[in-house]
Amino acid sequence: MKTYLVTGGAGFIGSNYIHYMFNKYKDTIRIINVDVLTYAGNPENLASLETNENYIFIKEDICNKDAMHNIFKQYDIDRVVHFAAESHVDRSIRNPQVFVNTNVMGTLNLLDAAKCAWETEDGYKTDKKYLQVSTDEVYGSLEEEDSYFYESTPIDPHSPYSASKASADMIVKAYMDTFHFPANITRCSNNYGPYQFPEKLIPLMINNALLGKKLPIYGDGKNVRDWLYVMDHAKAIDMVMEQGKLYEVYNVGGHNEKQNVDIVNIIIDTLASLLPDSDSRKAHVNKDLITYVEDRKGHDRRYAIAPDKIKSEIGWEPETMFAEGIRLTIEWYLNNNEWMEHVTSGDYQKYYQEMYK
Ligand code: NAD
Ligand code: DAU
């Protein structure tokens, strides 16, 4: 039985990945989820696994070096999938410090603990691998139409968030280049799907529309993101882990570029079509809610991934068409009102007031 150490598994992508893995491998794997439970970490995302004896939750900070080493001493870990991070660009503009601590120093701690545990006299124990979950934002912004991010595109981050993720990638690269540490890096585009915290564009717009609140679009709304359904990302991570060539970087993208304003319009139309006439919220879900607000500082104009390498070397492709993925996502939020109420009580209200005042 393989033992996975997943960091940040109580967050959006991490929890979807853990569900994907248990659905696929059933009781042939064990997953240890290390998560300090920041505002973005939510044990409710994994409540259905409480009785699964192959799932172990450890509430711990990846910045705690001794704790990371102890986990590797306690368990014989075969795979590390490193999701834990501060992940929201707007928050990084307001408070960069925590991004560098978690995303850079936390990554270094984890690498160091894995390297110590896996090293032998002449290399590493067999069949061990570390996967760094990175982002297309490390490549910066595409200004020209028909240009794409390739693995060979120079790193050119702009926000404190993307700079911290790029720094983490460089530390992983240093471990691969200097110590031949067995690792891969994946760089993915914007994910959407269930369990995403409503500070990000899609769940924020769904929640606001249902509450009849304004839908705040930054700048002219024409910034482009390349959207990928989160379960397709989970599958890509698993495939890179098992089939990826050691030391390689793989871009993961949805072939699905959309302007922000188009995303918001699709959300309004889909909500309006899914809500029954008897639901009182249906009356206020309309385009009058759209409001253009001050632009994000340093707002990257366009992201678009060329996932050619992962397709040709590994055979992964995005499977979920956006029309289907957004319907599944909106249905999930409609069916999980309590989840939304829990994550938007307390600190979220303060964040929202300060951010959108
Ligand atoms: P998220 O913010 O939803 O979840 C992050 C998780 O990490 C939370 O559970 C949080 O509690 C945990 N965490 C934060 N700091 C920690 C610390 N110091 N120690 C332990 N746990 C800590 O993030 P997400 O959107 O799920 O993103 C996961 C990863 O994927 C991140 O590394 C992010 O950079 C990357 N990524 C995200 C996207 C996207 O569209 N969301 C796209 C590409 C890459
Ligand atoms: O590209 C991958 C990245 O995607 C990940 O690495 C990040 O962790 C993830 O947060 C995401 O970053 P973005 O900044 O692209 O995502 P966000 O949902 O914050 O914003 C998407 C776009 O929508 C962006 O152009 C800003 C815009 N936006 C966002 C919010 C929250 C708005 O116009 N209004 C909003 O209220």
Side-chain angles (χ1 to χ4, degrees):
M1 175 186 280
K2 282 201 174 63
T3 298
Y4 287 70
L5 175 64
V6 173
T7 69
F12 163 49
I13 307 176
S15 56
N16 278 287
Y17 170 78
I18 291 175
H19 286 301
Y20 174 85
M21 292 297 283
F22 277 125
N23 279 338
K24 177 170 179 192
Y25 294 102
K26 311 284 184 230
D27 56 1
T28 67
I29 58 165
R30 176 167 68 159
I31 295 183
I32 299 161
N33 174 15
V34 175
D35 195 307
V36 77
L37 300 182
T38 66
Y39 75 94
N42 185 353
E44 271 182 61
N45 300 357
L46 297 160
S48 61
L49 296 175
E50 264 162 26
T51 54
N52 183 334
E53 56 191 26
N54 292 330
Y55 171 68
I56 297 163
F57 177 68
I58 300 176
K59 185 174 186 300
E60 191 50 84
D61 190 338
I62 56 166
C63 296
N64 183 340
K65 187 174 173 182
D66 290 343
M68 291 307 110
H69 279 264
N70 285 337
I71 291 170
F72 279 88
K73 281 183 196 139
Q74 197 180 346
Y75 299 99
D76 181 13
I77 289 162
D78 301 297
R79 306 273 188 260
V80 176
V81 185
H82 179 33
F83 292 102
E86 289 293 334
S87 69
H88 192 39
V89 173
D90 292 323
R91 289 186 194 251
S92 83
I93 294 166
R94 300 161 84 86
N95 179 19
Q97 186 90 34
V98 65
F99 283 73
V100 174
N101 289 346
T102 291
N103 299 0
V104 186
M105 296 310 295
T107 298
L108 179 60
N109 281 341
L110 200 62
L111 285 166
D112 193 54
K115 177 174 168 287
C116 283
W118 291 349
E119 253 173 347
T120 60
E121 271 178 18
D122 52 358
Y124 291 92
K125 293 178 185 165
T126 50
D127 202 24
K128 304 285 185 192
K129 203 197 253 189
Y130 172 105
L131 191 145
Q132 177 74 9
V133 181
S134 185
T135 166
D136 60 358
E137 296 201 16
V138 301
Y139 297 120
S141 182
L142 295 163
E143 302 302 327
E144 284 163 35
E145 268 181 44
D146 293 335
S147 54
Y148 293 93
F149 295 138
Y150 290 88
E151 288 79 0
S152 56
T153 302
I155 301 298
D156 182 24
H158 297 134
S159 71
Y161 162 71
S162 53
S164 69
K165 291 295 290 185
S167 308
D169 284 13
M170 292 302 103
I171 303 280
V172 177
K173 182 178 180 311
Y175 267 61
M176 297 193 292
D177 293 352
T178 308
F179 307 117
H180 305 294
F181 178 75
N184 283 122
I185 298 173
T186 54
R187 295 191 178 130
C188 188
S189 61
N190 286 61
N191 284 218
Y192 69 101
Y195 304 116
Q196 188 168 29
F197 191 79
E199 64 189 350
K200 308 281 163 58
L201 179 74
I202 288 182
L204 185 144
M205 295 297 168
I206 296 172
N207 187 41
N208 280 17
L210 287 170
L211 296 172
K213 285 169 68 175
K214 293 281 182 204
L215 307 179
I217 298 183
Y218 300 163
D220 64 4
K222 293 187 176 159
N223 299 65
V224 171
R225 297 293 182 266
D226 175 2
W227 294 94
L228 178 72
Y229 193 61
V230 64
M231 279 299 175
D232 288 353
H233 186 192
K235 184 173 181 181
I237 288 172
D238 183 38
M239 289 178 77
V240 170
M241 181 65 94
E242 298 314 319
Q243 298 167 50
K245 273 203 298 210
L246 276 186
Y247 317 127
E248 293 290 318
V249 175
Y250 292 93
N251 284 352
V252 186
H255 279 309
N256 184 52
E257 289 178 56
K258 294 223 181 308
Q259 292 187 348
N260 295 335
V261 63
D262 294 335
I263 292 284
V264 175
N265 279 313
I266 291 170
I267 290 172
I268 295 168
D269 291 342
T270 313
L271 267 175
S273 72
L274 288 174
L275 283 168
D277 290 342
S278 55
D279 193 315
S280 59
R281 295 173 296 181
K282 191 164 179 151
H284 58 237
V285 175
N286 63 59
K287 293 183 184 166
D288 294 343
L289 294 176
I290 291 179
T291 175
Y292 288 87
V293 300
E294 189 185 332
D295 208 354
R296 175 185 276 174
K297 285 190 174 65
H299 197 173
D300 286 339
R301 193 63 174 168
R302 174 173 163 255
Y303 303 148
I305 284 269
D308 303 11
K309 178 173 169 180
I310 190 170
K311 183 179 177 192
S312 63
E313 286 189 13
I314 295 179
W316 177 90
E317 280 189 282
E319 288 171 19
T320 313
M321 300 299 287
F322 190 72
E324 186 198 351
I326 198 70
R327 182 183 53 75
L328 290 172
T329 303
I330 291 177
E331 280 174 351
W332 186 87
Y333 282 100
L334 287 174
N335 292 330
N336 288 275
N337 227 352
E338 257 186 34
W339 182 94
M340 187 60 93
E341 279 170 17
H342 292 168
V343 302
T344 53
S345 62
D347 284 352
Y348 180 80
Q349 296 303 328
K350 195 166 157 251
Y351 165 78
Y352 196 89
Q353 288 310 322
E354 281 173 13
M355 178 69 207
Y356 293 93
K357 66 180 174 232

